[in-house]
Amino acid sequence: RFPVVLPDGKHLLFTLWSNTAEALGTVGGIYATSGDGGRIERILPDAGSCVFVPPDYLLVHRSDRLIAVPFDVDRLEAGTAAIPIDDAAMFAANSGILGASASSRGDIVYMVGEAEPKTEFVWIDLEDRGERALDVSGRFGNVALSLDGLRYSVERFEGTNPSQIWVGEFARGTFIPLTREINDSYVPVWAPD
């Protein structure tokens, strides 16, 4: 994911990502390679997108902080020193997206706040105009109401784990996982049956 073409136009950085924690810890990180099929080498274990800041830094997310790491663009090597920038920079743990960018002059811009904010569900009954909270909160996306209006399904995000589909039933107040796979499950759709 997240290719970054370096100034020479011949080399690039990319992120090897997995929603499987074991794989992410073992082989995940930022890699360097050449566009002509040259060797591929892991330069940082940080799992997430990175930003090249000319002339010689990379922005990465590490230990819940946005940091700058020295980077030798000629040797494709990252240094060990880290310059902390902000502990509120936006980072989506489920996908590895870092909300940051840099200009060719070395100016940086980044977003602050939660990338996957906690949300709550509210049920509105159009017949009696009643509204009530469903006592379900967390990090969710793509909610789908069943065709009979009795249940709902939603993507649930939990850190770097794969997103899963959960199903709630209004009458019983239940909320249970439908999928339990090592891969992402997303965009639930109800079939007519």
Side-chain angles (χ1 to χ4, degrees):
R1 295 181 177 181
F2 318 120
V4 176
V5 179
L6 295 174
D8 67 4
K10 296 178 183 178
H11 294 89
L12 63 99
L13 305 175
F14 66 91
T15 301
L16 183 58
W17 178 266
S18 175
N19 282 109
T20 304
E22 183 180 340
L24 190 63
T26 304
V27 297
I30 299 167
Y31 286 74
T33 189
S34 62
D36 62 3
R39 73 174 200 225
I40 298 173
E41 190 171 332
R42 185 164 107 163
I43 62 167
L44 286 170
D46 303 291
S49 59
C50 73
V51 175
F52 175 66
V53 182
D56 54 5
Y57 281 95
L58 295 177
L59 295 180
V60 297
H61 183 263
R62 182 185 294 166
S63 301
D64 293 326
R65 298 190 77 123
L66 175 65
I67 64 167
V69 176
F71 178 64
D72 185 325
V73 72
D74 296 321
R75 295 177 18 176
L76 300 177
E77 292 180 359
T80 57
I83 301 168
I85 296 175
D86 199 324
D87 60 0
M90 191 175 83
F91 180 75
N94 186 262
S95 62
I97 296 172
L98 175 63
S101 185
S103 73
S104 60
R105 294 185 333 182
D107 306 306
I108 65 170
V109 63
Y110 61 93
M111 297 182 281
V112 296
E114 288 188 63
E116 299 160 343
K118 287 189 177 183
T119 54
E120 295 182 15
F121 292 95
V122 176
W123 170 255
I124 298 175
D125 183 341
L126 293 181
E127 290 182 17
D128 65 11
R129 304 283 183 207
E131 180 180 313
R132 64 185 171 97
L134 298 180
D135 296 323
V136 174
S137 66
R139 291 179 168 89
F140 302 106
N142 291 303
V143 65
L145 193 59
S146 65
L147 300 175
D148 60 10
L150 301 176
R151 293 173 289 169
Y152 62 97
S153 57
V154 66
E155 296 171 17
R156 185 173 191 174
F157 309 108
E158 294 178 345
T160 59
N161 296 321
S163 61
Q164 298 301 317
I165 304 297
W166 285 59
V167 175
E169 188 173 335
F170 296 115
R172 296 189 315 173
T174 58
F175 188 63
I176 60 171
L178 177 67
T179 61
R180 291 185 179 94
E181 301 297 324
I182 61 171
N183 296 318
D184 283 318
S185 297
Y186 48 88
V187 190
V189 176
W190 290 91
D193 62 355

